[in-house]
Amino acid sequence: MTAEIIDGKKLAENIKQEVKAAIEERVRQQLPVPGLATVLVGNNPASRTYVASKIKTTADLGIHSLSYELEENCPQDKLVSLIEELNQNQDIQGILVQLPLPDHLSEDRVMHTISPKKDVDGLHPYNAGLLTRKYSEPLFYPCTPSGIIHMIQSVCPDISGMDAAVIGRSSIVGMPTAMMLSRCNTTPTICHSQTRHLDEVCRESDIVVAAAGSPGLVRGEWIKPGAIVIDVGINHIPDKTSPRGYRLVGDVEFDEAVKRAGAISPVPGGVGPMTIAMLMANTLKAIEYR
Ligand code: GUN
């Protein structure tokens, strides 16, 4: 058996086209279009690439954008003041501070400063808290977890009752993905670097979400035949044969896992494009909270 490939690029394109159509309709009706502010601090090359991609996508879809670049040694107060200013800016509905931040800055303080109504990343503790509450809805669901759920449901709309392994417990991906999987009535197990018998947890799971940042961690033989496998890893591996000097690999040994899974997402072209599409969808939604 060879798995169905979950084409994140194509799914993302569909979502972006829907957002674009909704914005065109707003323009026709002379309603305000949403605005997204991106904030990049420092010189992390991967963060620079991601932010550039987010800014380009806003332009493609007709979303107004403001981008800020702050130096690596930017004081915390300067960043906090910028966010406070953006919270007041009527032309901006979404604020995205690209993570990770340089070590001297408190991610927690920064996330607390963003208005929950402009928290298009869904990472503010208010929104993260609402995600965990049974009868509540956050104002925004976080982008990568939303993309993951969308990808899973594209191949299996009803995942109710399934067992899921989520490898990684970060605030951006692992934890909120587990919460969202639970909201879809699956039973998630949150695994991490101290988890004993990770292979066995995976073997019993109908869904595996690998977000550990560890290249090739998940082996093909760990995959339950027919399982849905979502690879969130984006690992840069030195490769002299590539013009860029590196290649991107996921957390899953794709060539092995593709032979056992029912459906699997590739790297690149899987979760990455979905994160950006969901950010655009959240920015459109943000206009409701204006
Ligand atoms: N860094 C990696 N992924 C993300 C994300 O989804 N949002 C932000 N703000 N930073 C990130």
Side-chain angles (χ1 to χ4, degrees):
M1 187 175 71
T2 302
E4 178 181 346
I5 306 297
I6 305 175
D7 185 346
K9 240 172 142 172
K10 194 162 137 203
L11 292 171
E13 199 49 48
N14 293 343
I15 294 164
K16 288 191 290 184
Q17 287 312 316
E18 282 173 25
V19 172
K20 188 174 181 188
I23 289 170
E24 283 168 356
E25 185 53 32
R26 291 188 71 84
V27 171
R28 261 192 294 281
Q29 295 186 19
Q30 299 188 326
L31 293 167
V33 296
L36 175 70
T38 59
V39 182
L40 174 66
V41 187
N43 306 313
N44 181 320
S47 292
R48 190 167 286 281
T49 308
Y50 296 143
V51 170
S53 200
K54 289 169 185 177
I55 294 169
K56 180 181 179 306
T57 311
T58 56
D60 292 345
L61 305 192
I63 294 174
H64 158 67
S65 80
L66 285 179
S67 66
Y68 296 85
E69 287 192 17
L70 303 178
E71 64 280 18
E72 181 83 26
N73 61 358
C74 164
Q76 171 110 343
D77 289 349
K78 186 172 169 188
L79 177 57
V80 166
S81 302
L82 171 63
I83 296 168
E84 284 168 348
E85 206 180 294
L86 291 169
N87 283 341
Q88 300 302 323
N89 185 332
Q90 295 296 311
D91 295 331
I92 290 299
Q93 280 68 52
I95 302 171
L96 176 128
V97 179
Q98 187 66 24
L99 303 175
L101 291 169
D103 288 346
H104 68 284
L105 297 172
S106 157
E107 187 178 306
D108 214 40
R109 169 101 195 273
V110 168
M111 287 300 136
H112 269 90
T113 308
I114 297 173
S115 162
K117 291 181 176 177
K118 295 193 176 187
D119 172 37
V120 284
D121 250 336
L123 300 178
H124 188 287
Y126 175 79
N127 286 317
L130 288 177
L131 183 63
T132 67
R133 294 178 64 85
K134 189 169 179 185
Y135 298 110
S136 304
E137 284 245 10
L139 300 176
F140 301 98
Y141 286 91
C143 302
T144 302
S146 298
I148 293 168
I149 300 294
H150 195 91
M151 292 170 91
I152 294 170
Q153 289 181 331
S154 76
V155 290
C156 186
D158 183 8
I159 54 175
S160 193
M162 289 186 173
D163 293 318
V166 179
I167 309 173
R169 53 180 162 177
S170 71
S171 309
I172 302 184
V173 184
M175 279 295 181
T177 299
M179 291 303 150
M180 290 181 74
L181 282 167
S182 170
R183 281 174 173 257
C184 294
N185 298 320
T186 74
T187 304
T189 301
I190 303 169
C191 309
H192 46 77
S193 55
Q194 306 302 308
T195 299
R196 278 184 291 167
H197 315 307
L198 178 59
D199 56 337
E200 284 172 24
V201 179
C202 289
R203 273 184 236 274
E204 289 175 6
S205 297
D206 308 295
I207 298 169
V208 174
V209 177
S214 176
L217 170 73
V218 177
R219 307 306 305 253
E221 62 198 25
W222 296 10
I223 303 298
K224 181 175 175 177
I228 302 169
V229 179
I230 305 293
D231 192 348
V232 191
I234 302 180
N235 306 293
H236 293 68
I237 302 292
D239 182 354
K240 288 190 187 125
T241 65
S242 155
R244 289 184 296 189
Y246 67 88
R247 66 195 155 87
L248 292 180
V249 301
D251 287 356
V252 178
E253 274 296 347
F254 183 89
D255 293 345
E256 296 173 3
V258 75
K259 295 183 189 138
R260 284 171 72 97
I264 186 167
S265 73
V267 177
V271 174
M274 292 299 286
T275 298
I276 299 185
M278 293 305 180
L279 175 68
M280 300 300 130
N282 277 352
T283 305
L284 174 64
K285 187 178 183 202
I287 209 136
E288 290 169 26
Y289 306 132
R290 215 162 170 254

